[in-house]
Amino acid sequence: MKHVLALSIGAALLVAAPALSAPAAPPAPQFVRGTVTAVTPTSLNVTSREGKKLTLGLTKDWTVQITKPVTVAQIVPGSFIGTAEMPQKDGTGRSLEVHVFPPGVKLGEGHYGWDLKKGSMMTNGTVGKVVANKSGSAFDVSYSTGVRRIVVPAKTPIVQIVPGARTLITPGAKVFMAAIQTPGGLITNSVAVGENGKAPPM
Protein backbone atom coordinates (compact mmCIF):
# COMPACT_ATOMS: atom_id res chain seq x y z
CA MET A 1 0.00 0.00 0.00
CA LYS A 2 1.74 3.05 -1.39
CA HIS A 3 1.32 5.64 1.30
CA VAL A 4 1.82 3.55 4.44
CA LEU A 5 4.94 4.62 6.25
CA ALA A 6 4.98 2.53 9.42
CA LEU A 7 5.82 -1.14 9.03
CA SER A 8 3.06 -1.85 7.57
CA ILE A 9 -0.66 -1.99 6.78
CA GLY A 10 -1.10 -4.81 4.31
CA ALA A 11 -3.52 -6.47 1.98
CA ALA A 12 -5.53 -8.01 4.82
CA LEU A 13 -7.14 -4.61 5.39
CA LEU A 14 -8.38 -4.16 1.85
CA VAL A 15 -12.12 -3.84 1.37
CA ALA A 16 -13.53 -6.95 -0.33
CA ALA A 17 -15.10 -6.38 -3.73
CA PRO A 18 -18.60 -7.66 -4.53
CA ALA A 19 -18.75 -10.98 -6.38
CA LEU A 20 -18.18 -10.80 -10.16
CA SER A 21 -17.03 -7.19 -9.99
CA ALA A 22 -13.58 -5.77 -10.60
CA PRO A 23 -11.30 -5.81 -7.55
CA ALA A 24 -11.85 -2.80 -5.31
CA ALA A 25 -9.01 -0.30 -4.99
CA PRO A 26 -7.33 -0.30 -1.59
CA PRO A 27 -8.93 2.28 0.70
CA ALA A 28 -6.74 5.30 1.31
CA PRO A 29 -5.10 5.27 4.73
CA GLN A 30 -5.91 7.93 7.28
CA PHE A 31 -2.96 9.32 9.23
CA VAL A 32 -3.46 9.77 12.95
CA ARG A 33 -1.10 11.86 15.07
CA GLY A 34 -1.86 12.24 18.73
CA THR A 35 -1.51 11.13 22.34
CA VAL A 36 -2.60 7.76 23.70
CA THR A 37 -5.26 7.93 26.41
CA ALA A 38 -6.02 4.21 26.88
CA VAL A 39 -4.88 0.82 25.57
CA THR A 40 -6.57 -2.58 25.51
CA PRO A 41 -5.38 -5.79 23.82
CA THR A 42 -7.55 -4.96 20.80
CA SER A 43 -7.88 -1.17 20.71
CA LEU A 44 -6.19 2.15 21.23
CA ASN A 45 -7.80 5.40 22.38
CA VAL A 46 -6.08 8.53 21.12
CA THR A 47 -6.63 12.26 21.33
CA SER A 48 -5.55 13.51 17.92
CA ARG A 49 -3.49 16.64 17.34
CA GLU A 50 -6.75 18.28 16.24
CA GLY A 51 -8.31 17.44 19.61
CA LYS A 52 -10.56 14.62 18.39
CA LYS A 53 -11.06 11.57 20.61
CA LEU A 54 -10.57 8.47 18.49
CA THR A 55 -10.75 4.73 19.06
CA LEU A 56 -8.71 2.55 16.71
CA GLY A 57 -8.85 -1.21 16.46
CA LEU A 58 -5.57 -3.12 16.64
CA THR A 59 -4.97 -6.21 14.52
CA LYS A 60 -3.76 -9.35 16.27
CA ASP A 61 -0.28 -8.92 14.81
CA TRP A 62 0.11 -5.19 15.45
CA THR A 63 3.65 -3.96 15.79
CA VAL A 64 5.48 -0.97 17.24
CA GLN A 65 8.18 1.18 15.66
CA ILE A 66 10.34 3.69 17.52
CA THR A 67 11.43 6.92 15.83
CA LYS A 68 14.89 7.43 17.28
CA PRO A 69 16.65 10.79 16.72
CA VAL A 70 19.87 10.49 14.71
CA THR A 71 22.22 12.90 12.98
CA VAL A 72 22.34 13.64 9.28
CA ALA A 73 25.50 11.50 9.18
CA GLN A 74 23.17 8.48 9.31
CA ILE A 75 21.96 9.36 5.83
CA VAL A 76 24.43 7.97 3.29
CA PRO A 77 24.26 6.99 -0.37
CA GLY A 78 22.05 3.93 -0.60
CA SER A 79 19.94 4.79 2.47
CA PHE A 80 16.19 4.39 1.90
CA ILE A 81 14.46 7.36 3.46
CA GLY A 82 11.15 9.16 3.63
CA THR A 83 10.82 12.89 4.00
CA ALA A 84 7.81 15.14 4.42
CA GLU A 85 8.75 18.20 2.41
CA MET A 86 7.47 21.48 1.04
CA PRO A 87 7.84 21.95 -2.73
CA GLN A 88 9.94 24.99 -3.67
CA LYS A 89 9.69 27.23 -6.73
CA ASP A 90 13.02 25.94 -8.05
CA GLY A 91 11.67 22.38 -8.18
CA THR A 92 13.43 21.13 -5.04
CA GLY A 93 11.82 19.99 -1.81
CA ARG A 94 12.55 21.61 1.56
CA SER A 95 12.45 18.91 4.20
CA LEU A 96 10.20 19.16 7.26
CA GLU A 97 11.50 15.88 8.68
CA VAL A 98 13.46 12.82 7.55
CA HIS A 99 12.91 9.22 8.62
CA VAL A 100 15.47 6.56 7.77
CA PHE A 101 14.11 3.07 7.20
CA PRO A 102 15.89 -0.04 8.55
CA PRO A 103 18.33 -1.73 6.15
CA GLY A 104 16.46 -3.72 3.53
CA VAL A 105 13.09 -2.07 4.19
CA LYS A 106 11.62 -0.05 1.32
CA LEU A 107 8.06 1.19 1.84
CA GLY A 108 5.93 3.87 0.23
CA GLU A 109 8.35 4.58 -2.61
CA GLY A 110 7.39 7.63 -4.65
CA HIS A 111 6.38 11.29 -4.40
CA TYR A 112 2.82 12.08 -3.30
CA GLY A 113 0.63 14.30 -1.16
CA TRP A 114 1.06 14.36 2.61
CA ASP A 115 -0.77 16.08 5.45
CA LEU A 116 1.92 17.13 7.91
CA LYS A 117 1.41 20.72 6.77
CA LYS A 118 -0.86 22.25 4.17
CA GLY A 119 0.72 21.70 0.77
CA SER A 120 3.33 19.23 2.01
CA MET A 121 4.42 16.18 0.04
CA MET A 122 6.05 12.88 0.97
CA THR A 123 9.08 11.64 -0.94
CA ASN A 124 10.31 8.09 -0.27
CA GLY A 125 13.28 6.66 -2.10
CA THR A 126 16.96 5.83 -2.24
CA VAL A 127 19.53 8.50 -1.42
CA GLY A 128 22.24 9.34 -3.93
CA LYS A 129 25.11 11.74 -3.34
CA VAL A 130 24.90 13.68 -0.07
CA VAL A 131 26.22 17.25 0.13
CA ALA A 132 26.57 18.78 3.60
CA ASN A 133 27.42 22.32 4.69
CA LYS A 134 26.87 24.59 7.70
CA SER A 135 23.30 25.43 6.70
CA GLY A 136 22.24 21.80 6.28
CA SER A 137 22.41 19.05 3.69
CA ALA A 138 21.07 18.22 0.27
CA PHE A 139 20.70 14.95 -1.57
CA ASP A 140 18.91 13.40 -4.50
CA VAL A 141 16.20 10.85 -3.73
CA SER A 142 15.49 8.31 -6.48
CA TYR A 143 12.21 6.42 -6.80
CA SER A 144 10.57 4.39 -9.55
CA THR A 145 9.20 7.37 -11.47
CA GLY A 146 11.86 10.01 -10.93
CA VAL A 147 14.54 11.76 -8.90
CA ARG A 148 13.98 14.66 -6.52
CA ARG A 149 16.50 17.02 -4.93
CA ILE A 150 15.79 17.41 -1.22
CA VAL A 151 17.26 20.23 0.88
CA VAL A 152 17.45 19.46 4.60
CA PRO A 153 17.92 22.55 6.82
CA ALA A 154 20.30 22.15 9.77
CA LYS A 155 17.63 21.80 12.50
CA THR A 156 15.31 19.44 10.63
CA PRO A 157 14.21 16.45 12.78
CA ILE A 158 15.89 13.25 11.54
CA VAL A 159 14.95 9.87 12.94
CA GLN A 160 15.81 6.20 12.42
CA ILE A 161 12.89 3.77 12.46
CA VAL A 162 13.64 0.75 14.67
CA PRO A 163 11.43 -2.05 16.04
CA GLY A 164 9.91 -1.51 19.48
CA ALA A 165 7.85 -3.33 22.10
CA ARG A 166 4.11 -3.04 22.64
CA THR A 167 4.81 -2.04 26.25
CA LEU A 168 5.89 1.37 24.94
CA ILE A 169 2.31 2.16 23.94
CA THR A 170 0.92 3.52 27.20
CA PRO A 171 -1.27 6.49 28.16
CA GLY A 172 0.64 9.68 27.43
CA ALA A 173 2.70 8.22 24.56
CA LYS A 174 2.82 10.38 21.43
CA VAL A 175 2.13 8.28 18.37
CA PHE A 176 1.72 8.26 14.61
CA MET A 177 -0.42 5.68 12.80
CA ALA A 178 -1.71 4.93 9.33
CA ALA A 179 -5.20 3.51 9.73
CA ILE A 180 -7.83 2.09 7.40
CA GLN A 181 -11.52 2.88 7.70
CA THR A 182 -13.53 -0.36 7.85
CA PRO A 183 -17.24 -0.95 8.50
CA GLY A 184 -16.30 -1.54 12.14
CA GLY A 185 -14.23 1.65 12.44
CA LEU A 186 -10.59 2.65 12.04
CA ILE A 187 -8.04 -0.15 12.31
CA THR A 188 -4.25 -0.27 12.25
CA ASN A 189 -1.55 -2.88 12.54
CA SER A 190 1.37 -0.56 13.24
CA VAL A 191 2.02 2.21 15.76
CA ALA A 192 5.02 4.54 15.66
CA VAL A 193 6.10 6.14 18.93
CA GLY A 194 8.79 8.72 19.54
CA GLU A 195 11.79 7.92 21.70
CA ASN A 196 11.91 9.51 25.17
CA GLY A 197 8.44 11.03 24.91
CA LYS A 198 8.99 12.89 21.66
CA ALA A 199 6.33 12.78 18.97
CA PRO A 200 7.15 10.98 15.71
CA PRO A 201 8.03 13.83 13.35
CA MET A 202 6.17 12.61 10.29
Side-chain angles (χ1 to χ4, degrees):
M1 191 173 294
K2 177 179 174 183
H3 301 307
V4 175
L5 172 121
L7 306 175
S8 60
I9 294 179
L13 301 183
L14 304 187
V15 174
L20 304 180
S21 67
Q30 296 183 31
F31 302 113
V32 177
R33 302 169 180 85
T35 303
V36 174
T37 57
V39 186
T40 77
T42 60
S43 67
L44 194 64
N45 289 354
V46 175
T47 299
S48 74
R49 68 174 181 178
E50 296 82 15
K52 295 181 180 179
K53 297 186 183 300
L54 304 173
T55 298
L56 295 93
L58 297 169
T59 63
K60 291 182 180 180
D61 60 349
W62 71 282
T63 59
V64 174
Q65 285 75 46
I66 304 170
T67 56
K68 179 180 179 180
V70 294
T71 69
V72 72
Q74 299 296 115
I75 302 172
V76 298
S79 294
F80 191 87
I81 64 109
T83 178
E85 45 108 332
M86 297 300 296
Q88 304 297 295
K89 291 182 178 179
D90 62 2
T92 64
R94 184 177 177 87
S95 183
L96 301 171
E97 59 82 35
V98 181
H99 46 277
V100 184
F101 287 90
V105 175
K106 296 184 177 182
L107 292 173
E109 186 175 32
H111 176 67
Y112 40 84
W114 198 245
D115 64 348
L116 184 60
K117 288 181 65 175
K118 185 177 180 179
S120 64
M121 302 290 290
M122 176 61 70
T123 302
N124 280 26
T126 302
V127 174
K129 182 178 180 181
V130 178
V131 178
N133 55 47
K134 291 182 179 180
S135 62
S137 300
F139 40 80
D140 291 335
V141 178
S142 300
Y143 43 94
S144 60
T145 58
V147 180
R148 188 162 176 80
R149 171 57 62 94
I150 300 295
V151 176
V152 184
K155 294 185 179 181
T156 301
I158 301 172
V159 296
Q160 173 81 50
I161 298 175
V162 298
R166 291 183 179 183
T167 52
L168 294 171
I169 308 304
T170 58
K174 295 178 174 61
V175 296
F176 168 87
M177 292 169 286
I180 295 296
Q181 183 67 56
T182 72
L186 288 171
I187 188 169
T188 187
N189 74 348
S190 185
V191 182
V193 61
E195 186 178 58
N196 297 326
K198 292 185 177 181
M202 69 285 295

